[in-house]
Amino acid sequence: LSSNMEEPIFLGSIRMGAVTDNPERKQAFMQMMREIVSDIIEAKTGVRPTWGEPTTAPEHERAGEA
């Protein structure tokens, strides 16, 4: 994989209002995005990544009210 963004791929997005009060829906969306990224990485490298638990983003990377 390249370290630059030669061919960025739009994976997906969701309105925060759709997941803010619905943790199950938020988890399902996050899981789907992980699976999509895993599929892409596996197709390019032959290795499927493993995922750890989500962590809080550093303050300077947060948008809005974190």
Side-chain angles (χ1 to χ4, degrees):
L1 293 175
S2 176
S3 63
N4 61 21
M5 291 187 58
E6 293 173 10
E7 297 180 37
I9 300 170
F10 179 75
L11 299 174
S13 65
I14 192 166
R15 291 179 94 38
M16 288 304 295
V19 296
T20 299
D21 295 326
N22 191 319
E24 294 84 14
R25 187 179 295 155
K26 179 179 179 181
Q27 185 61 36
F29 178 76
M30 290 171 54
Q31 184 61 36
M32 181 178 66
M33 292 294 103
R34 284 187 195 116
E35 291 298 318
I36 291 169
V37 170
S38 294
D39 291 347
I40 293 167
I41 292 171
E42 186 175 24
K44 296 280 186 182
T45 68
V47 178
R48 191 157 190 92
T50 57
W51 299 90
E53 292 299 315
T55 58
T56 303
E59 190 67 38
H60 70 277
E61 292 182 4
R62 297 180 194 178
E65 296 180 31

